[in-house]
Amino acid sequence: NAALKVGDVAEAAQDRLIGLISEKCATVLKQMRGVTAAYRMTNKPMPTRPSTYVNGAMAPILSFSGMANGDSALVEAVAASVCNVYKTMIKELIETVKKTESSLKRLKKQASSDAVAKVTDTEKICLQLFLDVKEVGRQLKHAGVDPNNFEAYVSLWDAAAPEDAKGVVQLSPEETPQKPPETLESGSQETEDLATFS
């Protein structure tokens, strides 16, 4: 019974740590909503690089992976939680953006019969989100997670990828991941929580 109680405490501590780190990441990921404002009716060119919020969102995972003592299962648990949250955010945002685009198209048709072929704001927004998801994959590599074989990331990839890119994760080798940030400072809440069960 004592052994079971100790095991339960360790599991609860791990769950709490996963929750803490995931929440830190998710808080920064909410900045993805700014992508819509950046491209909606601004005449900006097509995006070519990931958004700056991605590095901040992935920093807690990268920092944790540096102090996880080789516990890849725990790092993957954190990464899976973050990927799932991010996937939900992206799917909701893309759905909203497409509905808005559809409404704007109807208004434009009523105002003018001229049709000009051009890249839509929605296409720019979706491409930016896809570039961001690619960067998440590169950051996961730094954390020791193989995005190509990580189910949670593949699902995230499919949520953002265009139809012809779904199902197969392809991170271009020339797109070098950003240098991971410094590991968590000793004495931080995450360090104390990890020490509880490591």
Side-chain angles (χ1 to χ4, degrees):
N1 290 337
L4 288 175
K5 289 182 178 179
V6 171
D8 290 341
V9 170
E11 183 176 352
Q14 288 186 19
D15 289 343
R16 179 167 180 263
L17 183 60
I18 291 171
L20 285 171
I21 299 174
S22 298
E23 185 176 350
K24 280 180 172 289
C25 297
T27 297
V28 182
L29 284 173
K30 290 178 182 178
Q31 294 179 24
M32 65 172 281
R33 295 167 184 164
V35 171
T36 301
Y39 290 100
R40 178 69 71 200
M41 302 180 73
T42 60
N43 291 321
K44 279 191 174 183
M46 290 287 281
T48 59
R49 62 182 64 187
S51 304
T52 55
Y53 76 83
V54 177
N55 282 346
M58 296 301 292
I61 293 179
L62 293 170
S63 297
F64 175 63
S65 69
M67 52 168 283
N69 299 322
D71 192 340
S72 59
L74 191 54
V75 174
E76 288 183 356
V78 174
S81 177
V82 173
C83 284
N84 289 333
V85 170
Y86 193 22
K87 178 184 70 174
T88 299
M89 289 181 177
I90 282 183
K91 291 176 74 173
E92 290 176 351
L93 181 58
I94 290 178
E95 182 179 356
T96 299
V97 166
K98 287 184 175 180
K99 285 182 179 179
T100 301
E101 184 78 26
S102 178
S103 297
L104 289 174
K105 282 183 177 179
R106 285 197 297 269
L107 291 173
K108 288 180 180 179
K109 283 183 179 179
Q110 292 174 4
S112 174
S113 59
D114 295 332
V116 180
K118 64 176 183 177
V119 177
T120 66
D121 294 338
T122 295
E123 289 171 325
K124 294 176 185 177
I125 293 168
C126 290
L127 176 57
Q128 182 63 73
L129 294 176
F130 187 38
L131 291 172
D132 295 348
V133 167
K134 284 185 173 183
E135 181 62 19
V136 168
R138 291 190 286 272
Q139 297 287 352
L140 284 177
K141 281 188 175 182
H142 273 315
V145 178
D146 179 9
N148 296 284
N149 299 304
F150 190 51
E151 183 177 350
Y153 178 74
V154 174
S155 182
L156 170 61
W157 171 283
D158 285 347
E163 289 299 324
D164 60 354
K166 292 183 184 297
V168 180
V169 174
Q170 293 183 331
L171 299 177
S172 303
E174 67 270 14
E175 296 176 298
T176 306
Q178 297 291 326
K179 181 180 179 182
E182 297 297 323
T183 55
L184 295 171
E185 296 179 0
S186 60
S188 68
Q189 183 63 52
E190 286 85 353
T191 304
E192 294 172 2
D193 287 332
L194 179 61
T196 302
F197 58 85
S198 60

